[in-house]
Amino acid sequence: MEVTNKYIVTKQHIEDEPKESHFEIKTEALALTVEPGSDDIIIKNLYISIDPYMINRMKGYSSSQSAISFATPITPGKAIDAVVIGKVVASGNPKFEKNDFVMGVFHWAEYSLVKEGSIINKLDSSEFPLSYHLGVLGFSGLSAYGGFFEVCKPQSGEKVFVSAASGSIGNLVGQYAKLLGCYVVGCAGSQKKVSLLKEKLGFDEAFNYKEETDLNSTLKRYFPDGIDIYFDNVGGEMLEAAIGNMKAFGRVSVCGVIAQYTDVEKRASPNMLDIVYKRITIKGFLANDFMNDFAKFLAKTSDYLRSGKLQVIEDISTGVESVPSAFIGLFKGDNVGKKIVSLAKE
Amino acid sequence: MEVTNKYIVTKQHIEDEPKESHFEIKTEALALTVEPGSDDIIIKNLYISIDPYMINRMKGYSSSQSAISFATPITPGKAIDAVVIGKVVASGNPKFEKNDFVMGVFHWAEYSLVKEGSIINKLDSSEFPLSYHLGVLGFSGLSAYGGFFEVCKPQSGEKVFVSAASGSIGNLVGQYAKLLGCYVVGCAGSQKKVSLLKEKLGFDEAFNYKEETDLNSTLKRYFPDGIDIYFDNVGGEMLEAAIGNMKAFGRVSVCGVIAQYTDVEKRASPNMLDIVYKRITIKGFLANDFMNDFAKFLAKTSDYLRSGKLQVIEDISTGVESVPSAFIGLFKGDNVGKKIVSLAKE
């Protein structure tokens, strides 16, 4: 059997805000059978993870030592690899059978032809919805878990500030922090998101940063005695204001820099005197750094889900054609929680 | 016996470059005897430590949570407390006797009338020159030791960059790093300093930053494979360039921000993408944080001095009148090594 496989490509490198015109849908004929002797695996993609950091991979590749050289580049015109959940359609590899659910580095596509090494995990769909493995039980969850518990070493009662707090990672950081017994304030970009944080996710306070004129004063209002931990998803002015309001021995976990992803001018200029006098630690991380903690993370998070202590916020669009707009929407603040594109019935 | 005690005061808060006109010399009559029943101690000051961070204490005090509120303010017109080595002239306190050498928080003055709590250490002058206790065996040394070994956790063979490398702390960091087996590059502000670093202190390389037009390229030249550890004394553009040239899991120890002390506009805007993708840690510290390591630091550093492995660079001016110019000179790069004002014969 042969299908016409639709996949998304970039038409050019993207240096600023992504737009629909940067992307196109291509098609290819794909046989859903594996040649004898080959260890290929053919995957029907079910859920595609849509993540802001992908924009960095779409930029012009630099051979310098700068950060961008650490991101595997996406080549215009070529299929875009990303974390995807799919179902095995055909397999020449004895480790995988037809109808296995798997998560791996597949493509922004309806189908992917991959090797064993692309597959990260076989998934069990009996207890939790499959899509959870992209968010709360996947890399978003691991980023929240590792970036909060491992990087920040939080203590119960500490004061925690989370930016992009309704995003895929921020909402989980805030919930983990509340479960630990911290005071938690989140910021987001709409009143609807603010309500979600306070009413559904149990944040102590939340504010819409677009309605604030002086972020330094805003943070002083919510943290009159200062911030112990800042979980940073955005960089820019919010990072500056947070550092200005940290307590002594405060910790900043840098997960993302969305302010800077699409505008290199929006760099933060934190006050280094604060860093010295308050002995602040700023530390960047990638989810991969915590792979050794994955089992611990999964056990703890699954328990929280079973007991209903952790809320899952997913934002799901449908069809491979919606991948570009889903991705573009991340930079406009369209998504609430984990952004996923669903492709086909399980 | 009574003396006319000369002491230095600021005439106003100092928000930018310090100038002679910001300071004046005052005098007071001081009896060199202690009243019966008082536990006062009268100190004849011998060596005054001259340190850049004092400028932060001279700024207008802010009650905000910003860094400056962590620095004990210096009040215009009042005697300026600072780390000083002196000799006890008279003591009502049974723990201290006439002619004891002591280091403590005394004043920019010829004599100081203090209480027991102001004295940090009694000093033994039999093995090393007294002045060493302000530099290599004092807080400069402890800052270098703690800021390098404790904050950076260096390994032999790692690539280390030190700014203000001929300064009181930087020169020791570079020497500690060489003794550990690191590759060490320093930057300084004159050819004479560069020669000192390479020829006397054993740095692998050194450069005059004033002769470089593109610090990013300069660092790439000296660190083609990247920097593991950056010991930052300056902030500003040098910090930005260093972060751009860090390796994955690089560490930045922030000791000082001299670029920003006298010009608030000279804030660094490090690329936060580097922080994330390279998992860089930036950490500020104060020497006090390492008081528990003082004995270990002193033992190790004394051994290095005895075996001639560590060079001591002091820059000594004479007379209390020279304190303002010695201090002002720090911000012009006049000093080479630890800046001290010597007041009287021991």
Side-chain angles (χ1 to χ4, degrees):
Chain A
M1 186 192 164
E2 192 179 270
V3 292
T4 300
N5 181 32
K6 288 187 199 162
Y7 63 102
I8 310 293
V9 301
T10 50
K11 291 198 282 191
Q12 62 193 81
H13 290 303
I14 305 174
E15 304 298 341
D16 44 20
E17 291 275 344
K19 295 189 199 79
E20 290 280 352
S21 59
H22 289 136
F23 299 92
E24 69 180 316
I25 300 179
K26 284 195 169 182
T27 58
E28 63 180 357
L30 182 72
L32 298 186
T33 51
V34 176
E35 301 212 357
S38 157
D39 63 350
D40 285 348
I41 305 159
I42 299 172
I43 310 279
K44 183 176 188 182
N45 295 326
L46 303 175
Y47 297 104
I48 297 178
S49 181
I50 306 292
D51 299 292
Y53 74 85
M54 295 281 284
I55 191 78
N56 298 319
R57 301 183 51 209
M58 295 173 183
K59 293 175 185 168
Y61 183 64
S62 155
S63 64
S64 78
Q65 227 130 28
S66 76
I68 198 75
S69 68
F70 282 72
T72 321
I74 288 168
T75 309
K78 302 283 187 193
I80 295 168
D81 57 304
V83 177
V84 173
I85 287 170
K87 188 167 162 177
V88 174
V89 173
S91 174
N93 184 309
K95 292 184 189 164
F96 298 93
E97 289 182 12
K98 188 170 172 181
N99 295 331
D100 278 352
F101 290 118
V102 290
M103 178 166 73
V105 182
F106 310 148
H107 302 100
W108 282 8
E110 292 176 313
Y111 292 86
S112 293
L113 176 70
V114 301
K115 298 286 183 194
E116 179 185 345
S118 301
I119 294 175
I120 298 165
N121 273 323
K122 273 198 210 186
L123 300 177
D124 172 6
S125 65
S126 64
E127 186 172 12
F128 299 114
L130 273 180
S131 60
Y132 281 21
H133 297 282
L134 292 184
V136 63
L137 296 176
F139 285 111
S140 300
L142 185 63
S143 294
Y145 180 90
F148 181 59
F149 291 106
E150 298 300 320
V151 173
C152 300
K153 308 285 184 200
Q155 302 289 321
S156 179
E158 287 196 309
K159 312 276 190 267
V160 176
F161 175 51
V162 185
S163 56
S166 71
S168 61
I169 299 172
N171 89 81
L172 296 173
V173 170
Q175 291 188 78
Y176 281 134
K178 280 309 300 172
L179 288 165
L180 182 67
C182 297
Y183 167 84
V184 181
V185 178
C187 72
S190 73
Q191 198 48 49
K192 184 183 141 204
K193 291 176 178 178
V194 166
S195 300
L196 174 85
L197 295 175
K198 288 165 72 172
E199 288 155 28
K200 185 161 180 186
L201 303 186
F203 281 54
D204 294 285
E205 295 287 351
F207 64 89
N208 177 355
Y209 70 89
K210 291 181 181 167
E211 288 178 354
E212 301 294 329
T213 50
D214 175 358
L215 294 174
N216 195 47
S217 304
T218 303
L219 291 180
K220 204 175 300 302
R221 199 164 71 232
Y222 289 110
F223 296 94
D225 303 318
I227 300 168
D228 290 296
I229 290 172
Y230 172 43
F231 193 95
D232 185 19
N233 286 303
V234 303
E237 292 177 355
M238 194 66 82
L239 175 58
E240 292 177 16
I243 285 177
N245 281 280
M246 297 298 282
K247 280 195 206 182
F249 301 102
R251 290 138 277 158
V252 178
S253 182
V254 189
C255 176
V257 198
I258 203 164
Q260 202 187 310
Y261 288 172
T262 57
D263 184 349
V264 292
E265 299 299 311
K266 286 198 176 156
R267 281 202 192 178
S269 299
N271 187 346
M272 297 306 291
L273 264 74
D274 281 309
I275 310 289
V276 174
Y277 278 93
K278 301 197 237 165
R279 291 85 132 200
I280 294 170
T281 303
I282 301 176
K283 191 164 165 43
F285 70 90
L286 298 177
N288 288 347
D289 300 344
F290 308 115
M291 286 310 283
N292 290 338
D293 299 307
F294 195 85
K296 205 166 59 172
F297 146 71
L298 202 62
K300 183 171 187 163
T301 307
S302 298
D303 277 348
Y304 282 146
L305 289 174
R306 285 178 198 118
S307 60
K309 288 181 180 162
L310 202 61
Q311 306 303 313
V312 178
I313 315 290
E314 294 181 324
D315 185 329
I316 301 185
S317 307
T318 307
V320 75
E321 297 83 355
S322 72
V323 168
S325 63
F327 179 67
I328 291 161
L330 293 177
F331 301 94
K332 298 179 172 167
D334 290 350
N335 63 304
V336 179
K338 177 68 191 176
K339 187 68 202 176
I340 292 170
V341 171
S342 161
L343 296 185
K345 289 264 183 292
E346 291 170 19
Chain B
M1 186 189 163
E2 192 178 90
V3 293
T4 300
N5 182 32
K6 289 186 196 160
Y7 62 104
I8 310 293
V9 301
T10 50
K11 292 199 281 191
Q12 60 192 84
H13 290 303
I14 306 174
E15 305 297 342
D16 44 21
E17 291 275 345
K19 296 187 200 78
E20 290 279 355
S21 60
H22 289 136
F23 299 93
E24 69 179 317
I25 300 179
K26 284 196 170 180
T27 58
E28 62 179 359
L30 182 72
L32 297 187
T33 49
V34 176
E35 303 213 356
S38 157
D39 62 351
D40 285 349
I41 305 159
I42 299 173
I43 311 280
K44 182 174 188 184
N45 296 326
L46 302 175
Y47 297 104
I48 297 178
S49 181
I50 306 291
D51 300 291
Y53 74 85
M54 296 281 283
I55 192 78
N56 298 320
R57 300 183 51 209
M58 295 172 184
K59 294 176 186 169
Y61 182 65
S62 156
S63 64
S64 78
Q65 227 130 28
S66 76
I68 199 72
S69 68
F70 282 73
T72 322
I74 288 169
T75 308
K78 301 283 185 192
I80 295 168
D81 56 305
V83 177
V84 173
I85 288 170
K87 189 167 160 177
V88 174
V89 174
S91 174
N93 185 311
K95 294 185 188 161
F96 299 93
E97 288 181 12
K98 188 171 175 180
N99 295 330
D100 278 351
F101 290 118
V102 290
M103 177 164 74
V105 183
F106 309 149
H107 302 99
W108 283 7
E110 291 176 313
Y111 292 87
S112 293
L113 176 71
V114 302
K115 298 286 182 192
E116 179 186 344
S118 301
I119 295 176
I120 298 165
N121 274 323
K122 273 200 213 186
L123 300 177
D124 172 5
S125 66
S126 63
E127 185 171 12
F128 299 113
L130 274 180
S131 60
Y132 281 22
H133 296 281
L134 291 184
V136 63
L137 297 176
F139 285 112
S140 300
L142 185 64
S143 293
Y145 180 91
F148 182 59
F149 291 108
E150 298 300 321
V151 173
C152 300
K153 308 285 184 199
Q155 301 290 319
S156 178
E158 286 197 308
K159 312 275 190 271
V160 176
F161 175 50
V162 186
S163 56
S166 72
S168 61
I169 299 172
N171 90 82
L172 296 173
V173 171
Q175 292 188 80
Y176 281 134
K178 281 308 301 171
L179 288 164
L180 182 67
C182 296
Y183 167 84
V184 181
V185 179
C187 71
S190 74
Q191 198 48 51
K192 182 182 142 207
K193 290 176 179 179
V194 166
S195 301
L196 173 85
L197 295 175
K198 287 165 72 172
E199 287 156 27
K200 183 160 181 190
L201 303 186
F203 281 55
D204 294 285
E205 296 286 351
F207 65 89
N208 178 354
Y209 70 90
K210 291 181 180 166
E211 288 178 354
E212 302 294 329
T213 50
D214 175 358
L215 294 174
N216 195 44
S217 304
T218 304
L219 291 180
K220 205 175 300 303
R221 200 162 73 232
Y222 289 110
F223 297 94
D225 302 318
I227 299 168
D228 290 296
I229 290 172
Y230 172 44
F231 193 95
D232 186 18
N233 286 302
V234 303
E237 292 179 354
M238 194 65 84
L239 175 60
E240 292 176 16
I243 285 177
N245 281 278
M246 297 299 281
K247 282 195 204 181
F249 300 103
R251 289 139 277 158
V252 178
S253 182
V254 189
C255 176
V257 198
I258 203 165
Q260 203 187 308
Y261 287 171
T262 57
D263 185 349
V264 291
E265 298 299 310
K266 285 198 175 156
R267 281 202 192 177
S269 300
N271 187 346
M272 297 306 291
L273 264 74
D274 281 309
I275 311 288
V276 174
Y277 277 93
K278 301 198 238 165
R279 291 85 130 200
I280 293 170
T281 304
I282 301 175
K283 191 163 164 46
F285 70 90
L286 297 177
N288 286 348
D289 299 344
F290 309 115
M291 286 310 284
N292 289 338
D293 299 307
F294 195 86
K296 206 166 60 172
F297 147 71
L298 202 61
K300 184 170 187 164
T301 307
S302 299
D303 278 348
Y304 281 146
L305 289 174
R306 287 179 196 116
S307 60
K309 288 180 179 163
L310 202 60
Q311 306 303 313
V312 178
I313 315 290
E314 294 181 323
D315 185 330
I316 301 186
S317 308
T318 308
V320 74
E321 297 82 355
S322 73
V323 168
S325 64
F327 179 68
I328 291 161
L330 294 176
F331 301 94
K332 298 178 172 168
D334 289 350
N335 63 305
V336 179
K338 178 67 193 178
K339 187 68 201 176
I340 291 171
V341 171
S342 163
L343 295 186
K345 290 265 184 289
E346 290 169 20

PDB file of all heavy atoms in Angstrom, chain B residues 176-196:
ATOM      1  N   TYR B 176      46.336  30.590  41.002  1.00  0.00           N
ATOM      2  CA  TYR B 176      45.721  29.353  41.524  1.00  0.00           C
ATOM      3  C   TYR B 176      45.395  28.405  40.360  1.00  0.00           C
ATOM      4  O   TYR B 176      45.582  27.188  40.450  1.00  0.00           O
ATOM      5  CB  TYR B 176      44.417  29.661  42.271  1.00  0.00           C
ATOM      6  CG  TYR B 176      44.545  30.191  43.686  1.00  0.00           C
ATOM      7  CD1 TYR B 176      43.785  31.279  44.103  1.00  0.00           C
ATOM      8  CD2 TYR B 176      45.375  29.574  44.619  1.00  0.00           C
ATOM      9  CE1 TYR B 176      43.855  31.752  45.411  1.00  0.00           C
ATOM     10  CE2 TYR B 176      45.457  30.041  45.933  1.00  0.00           C
ATOM     11  CZ  TYR B 176      44.696  31.133  46.323  1.00  0.00           C
ATOM     12  OH  TYR B 176      44.755  31.603  47.612  1.00  0.00           O
ATOM     13  N   ALA B 177      44.840  28.985  39.291  1.00  0.00           N
ATOM     14  CA  ALA B 177      44.428  28.157  38.144  1.00  0.00           C
ATOM     15  C   ALA B 177      45.644  27.498  37.494  1.00  0.00           C
ATOM     16  O   ALA B 177      45.601  26.318  37.125  1.00  0.00           O
ATOM     17  CB  ALA B 177      43.653  29.013  37.135  1.00  0.00           C
ATOM     18  N   LYS B 178      46.725  28.239  37.369  1.00  0.00           N
ATOM     19  CA  LYS B 178      47.953  27.645  36.811  1.00  0.00           C
ATOM     20  C   LYS B 178      48.450  26.529  37.730  1.00  0.00           C
ATOM     21  O   LYS B 178      48.858  25.463  37.263  1.00  0.00           O
ATOM     22  CB  LYS B 178      49.043  28.709  36.644  1.00  0.00           C
ATOM     23  CG  LYS B 178      48.928  29.604  35.428  1.00  0.00           C
ATOM     24  CD  LYS B 178      48.764  28.848  34.112  1.00  0.00           C
ATOM     25  CE  LYS B 178      49.919  27.905  33.807  1.00  0.00           C
ATOM     26  NZ  LYS B 178      49.591  27.035  32.622  1.00  0.00           N
ATOM     27  N   LEU B 179      48.437  26.769  39.026  1.00  0.00           N
ATOM     28  CA  LEU B 179      48.921  25.745  39.970  1.00  0.00           C
ATOM     29  C   LEU B 179      48.058  24.482  39.921  1.00  0.00           C
ATOM     30  O   LEU B 179      48.539  23.384  40.197  1.00  0.00           O
ATOM     31  CB  LEU B 179      48.959  26.326  41.392  1.00  0.00           C
ATOM     32  CG  LEU B 179      50.080  27.356  41.616  1.00  0.00           C
ATOM     33  CD1 LEU B 179      49.838  28.165  42.892  1.00  0.00           C
ATOM     34  CD2 LEU B 179      51.445  26.669  41.682  1.00  0.00           C
ATOM     35  N   LEU B 180      46.786  24.650  39.538  1.00  0.00           N
ATOM     36  CA  LEU B 180      45.903  23.483  39.414  1.00  0.00           C
ATOM     37  C   LEU B 180      46.120  22.745  38.094  1.00  0.00           C
ATOM     38  O   LEU B 180      45.683  21.611  37.927  1.00  0.00           O
ATOM     39  CB  LEU B 180      44.433  23.955  39.501  1.00  0.00           C
ATOM     40  CG  LEU B 180      43.340  22.884  39.434  1.00  0.00           C
ATOM     41  CD1 LEU B 180      43.392  21.987  40.678  1.00  0.00           C
ATOM     42  CD2 LEU B 180      41.955  23.507  39.297  1.00  0.00           C
ATOM     43  N   GLY B 181      46.795  23.413  37.139  1.00  0.00           N
ATOM     44  CA  GLY B 181      47.030  22.762  35.851  1.00  0.00           C
ATOM     45  C   GLY B 181      46.058  23.195  34.766  1.00  0.00           C
ATOM     46  O   GLY B 181      45.821  22.474  33.802  1.00  0.00           O
ATOM     47  N   CYS B 182      45.496  24.388  34.924  1.00  0.00           N
ATOM     48  CA  CYS B 182      44.593  24.923  33.905  1.00  0.00           C
ATOM     49  C   CYS B 182      45.385  25.708  32.858  1.00  0.00           C
ATOM     50  O   CYS B 182      46.513  26.131  33.093  1.00  0.00           O
ATOM     51  CB  CYS B 182      43.559  25.858  34.537  1.00  0.00           C
ATOM     52  SG  CYS B 182      42.457  25.024  35.705  1.00  0.00           S
ATOM     53  N   TYR B 183      44.733  25.917  31.713  1.00  0.00           N
ATOM     54  CA  TYR B 183      45.219  26.869  30.705  1.00  0.00           C
ATOM     55  C   TYR B 183      44.592  28.207  31.069  1.00  0.00           C
ATOM     56  O   TYR B 183      43.370  28.293  31.232  1.00  0.00           O
ATOM     57  CB  TYR B 183      44.782  26.408  29.315  1.00  0.00           C
ATOM     58  CG  TYR B 183      44.929  27.436  28.213  1.00  0.00           C
ATOM     59  CD1 TYR B 183      46.153  27.617  27.566  1.00  0.00           C
ATOM     60  CD2 TYR B 183      43.836  28.191  27.792  1.00  0.00           C
ATOM     61  CE1 TYR B 183      46.280  28.545  26.532  1.00  0.00           C
ATOM     62  CE2 TYR B 183      43.952  29.119  26.759  1.00  0.00           C
ATOM     63  CZ  TYR B 183      45.177  29.290  26.133  1.00  0.00           C
ATOM     64  OH  TYR B 183      45.294  30.206  25.116  1.00  0.00           O
ATOM     65  N   VAL B 184      45.431  29.242  31.225  1.00  0.00           N
ATOM     66  CA  VAL B 184      44.931  30.500  31.780  1.00  0.00           C
ATOM     67  C   VAL B 184      45.268  31.690  30.885  1.00  0.00           C
ATOM     68  O   VAL B 184      46.438  31.900  30.529  1.00  0.00           O
ATOM     69  CB  VAL B 184      45.518  30.755  33.184  1.00  0.00           C
ATOM     70  CG1 VAL B 184      44.958  32.055  33.766  1.00  0.00           C
ATOM     71  CG2 VAL B 184      45.222  29.594  34.116  1.00  0.00           C
ATOM     72  N   VAL B 185      44.249  32.451  30.544  1.00  0.00           N
ATOM     73  CA  VAL B 185      44.435  33.692  29.795  1.00  0.00           C
ATOM     74  C   VAL B 185      43.859  34.831  30.629  1.00  0.00           C
ATOM     75  O   VAL B 185      42.772  34.704  31.191  1.00  0.00           O
ATOM     76  CB  VAL B 185      43.720  33.638  28.423  1.00  0.00           C
ATOM     77  CG1 VAL B 185      43.895  34.954  27.667  1.00  0.00           C
ATOM     78  CG2 VAL B 185      44.234  32.467  27.599  1.00  0.00           C
ATOM     79  N   GLY B 186      44.605  35.927  30.708  1.00  0.00           N
ATOM     80  CA  GLY B 186      44.128  37.089  31.445  1.00  0.00           C
ATOM     81  C   GLY B 186      44.044  38.301  30.553  1.00  0.00           C
ATOM     82  O   GLY B 186      44.778  38.404  29.565  1.00  0.00           O
ATOM     83  N   CYS B 187      43.176  39.232  30.898  1.00  0.00           N
ATOM     84  CA  CYS B 187      43.217  40.509  30.194  1.00  0.00           C
ATOM     85  C   CYS B 187      43.452  41.618  31.197  1.00  0.00           C
ATOM     86  O   CYS B 187      43.125  41.500  32.376  1.00  0.00           O
ATOM     87  CB  CYS B 187      41.945  40.764  29.377  1.00  0.00           C
ATOM     88  SG  CYS B 187      40.492  41.119  30.343  1.00  0.00           S
ATOM     89  N   ALA B 188      44.089  42.672  30.720  1.00  0.00           N
ATOM     90  CA  ALA B 188      44.410  43.817  31.566  1.00  0.00           C
ATOM     91  C   ALA B 188      44.451  45.041  30.667  1.00  0.00           C
ATOM     92  O   ALA B 188      44.232  44.933  29.456  1.00  0.00           O
ATOM     93  CB  ALA B 188      45.750  43.584  32.254  1.00  0.00           C
ATOM     94  N   GLY B 189      44.727  46.202  31.260  1.00  0.00           N
ATOM     95  CA  GLY B 189      44.580  47.452  30.527  1.00  0.00           C
ATOM     96  C   GLY B 189      45.864  48.140  30.099  1.00  0.00           C
ATOM     97  O   GLY B 189      45.821  49.305  29.706  1.00  0.00           O
ATOM     98  N   SER B 190      47.002  47.445  30.148  1.00  0.00           N
ATOM     99  CA  SER B 190      48.237  48.053  29.642  1.00  0.00           C
ATOM    100  C   SER B 190      49.227  46.961  29.253  1.00  0.00           C
ATOM    101  O   SER B 190      49.132  45.827  29.718  1.00  0.00           O
ATOM    102  CB  SER B 190      48.880  48.961  30.700  1.00  0.00           C
ATOM    103  OG  SER B 190      49.495  48.171  31.712  1.00  0.00           O
ATOM    104  N   GLN B 191      50.172  47.335  28.408  1.00  0.00           N
ATOM    105  CA  GLN B 191      51.179  46.379  27.963  1.00  0.00           C
ATOM    106  C   GLN B 191      52.048  45.935  29.132  1.00  0.00           C
ATOM    107  O   GLN B 191      52.462  44.783  29.218  1.00  0.00           O
ATOM    108  CB  GLN B 191      52.028  46.996  26.841  1.00  0.00           C
ATOM    109  CG  GLN B 191      52.800  45.969  26.029  1.00  0.00           C
ATOM    110  CD  GLN B 191      51.929  44.782  25.584  1.00  0.00           C
ATOM    111  OE1 GLN B 191      50.853  44.972  25.022  1.00  0.00           O
ATOM    112  NE2 GLN B 191      52.369  43.546  25.864  1.00  0.00           N
ATOM    113  N   LYS B 192      52.294  46.858  30.048  1.00  0.00           N
ATOM    114  CA  LYS B 192      53.107  46.535  31.223  1.00  0.00           C
ATOM    115  C   LYS B 192      52.432  45.436  32.055  1.00  0.00           C
ATOM    116  O   LYS B 192      53.082  44.491  32.529  1.00  0.00           O
ATOM    117  CB  LYS B 192      53.257  47.822  32.067  1.00  0.00           C
ATOM    118  CG  LYS B 192      54.111  47.693  33.299  1.00  0.00           C
ATOM    119  CD  LYS B 192      54.126  49.048  34.058  1.00  0.00           C
ATOM    120  CE  LYS B 192      54.104  48.812  35.559  1.00  0.00           C
ATOM    121  NZ  LYS B 192      53.507  49.912  36.318  1.00  0.00           N
ATOM    122  N   LYS B 193      51.129  45.560  32.222  1.00  0.00           N
ATOM    123  CA  LYS B 193      50.385  44.550  32.992  1.00  0.00           C
ATOM    124  C   LYS B 193      50.385  43.210  32.263  1.00  0.00           C
ATOM    125  O   LYS B 193      50.505  42.154  32.883  1.00  0.00           O
ATOM    126  CB  LYS B 193      48.949  45.028  33.240  1.00  0.00           C
ATOM    127  CG  LYS B 193      48.852  46.200  34.210  1.00  0.00           C
ATOM    128  CD  LYS B 193      47.407  46.689  34.338  1.00  0.00           C
ATOM    129  CE  LYS B 193      47.302  47.843  35.325  1.00  0.00           C
ATOM    130  NZ  LYS B 193      45.910  48.353  35.434  1.00  0.00           N
ATOM    131  N   VAL B 194      50.223  43.272  30.947  1.00  0.00           N
ATOM    132  CA  VAL B 194      50.226  42.041  30.149  1.00  0.00           C
ATOM    133  C   VAL B 194      51.561  41.318  30.321  1.00  0.00           C
ATOM    134  O   VAL B 194      51.606  40.092  30.507  1.00  0.00           O
ATOM    135  CB  VAL B 194      49.941  42.370  28.662  1.00  0.00           C
ATOM    136  CG1 VAL B 194      50.279  41.192  27.760  1.00  0.00           C
ATOM    137  CG2 VAL B 194      48.484  42.789  28.484  1.00  0.00           C
ATOM    138  N   SER B 195      52.641  42.073  30.279  1.00  0.00           N
ATOM    139  CA  SER B 195      53.973  41.464  30.454  1.00  0.00           C
ATOM    140  C   SER B 195      54.096  40.831  31.832  1.00  0.00           C
ATOM    141  O   SER B 195      54.638  39.735  31.979  1.00  0.00           O
ATOM    142  CB  SER B 195      55.070  42.517  30.284  1.00  0.00           C
ATOM    143  OG  SER B 195      54.980  43.083  29.006  1.00  0.00           O
ATOM    144  N   LEU B 196      53.608  41.522  32.833  1.00  0.00           N
ATOM    145  CA  LEU B 196      53.649  40.979  34.198  1.00  0.00           C
ATOM    146  C   LEU B 196      52.932  39.633  34.270  1.00  0.00           C
ATOM    147  O   LEU B 196      53.434  38.668  34.850  1.00  0.00           O
ATOM    148  CB  LEU B 196      52.978  41.975  35.153  1.00  0.00           C
ATOM    149  CG  LEU B 196      52.799  41.487  36.593  1.00  0.00           C
ATOM    150  CD1 LEU B 196      54.063  41.748  37.405  1.00  0.00           C
ATOM    151  CD2 LEU B 196      51.597  42.149  37.273  1.00  0.00           C
TER     152      LEU B 196
END
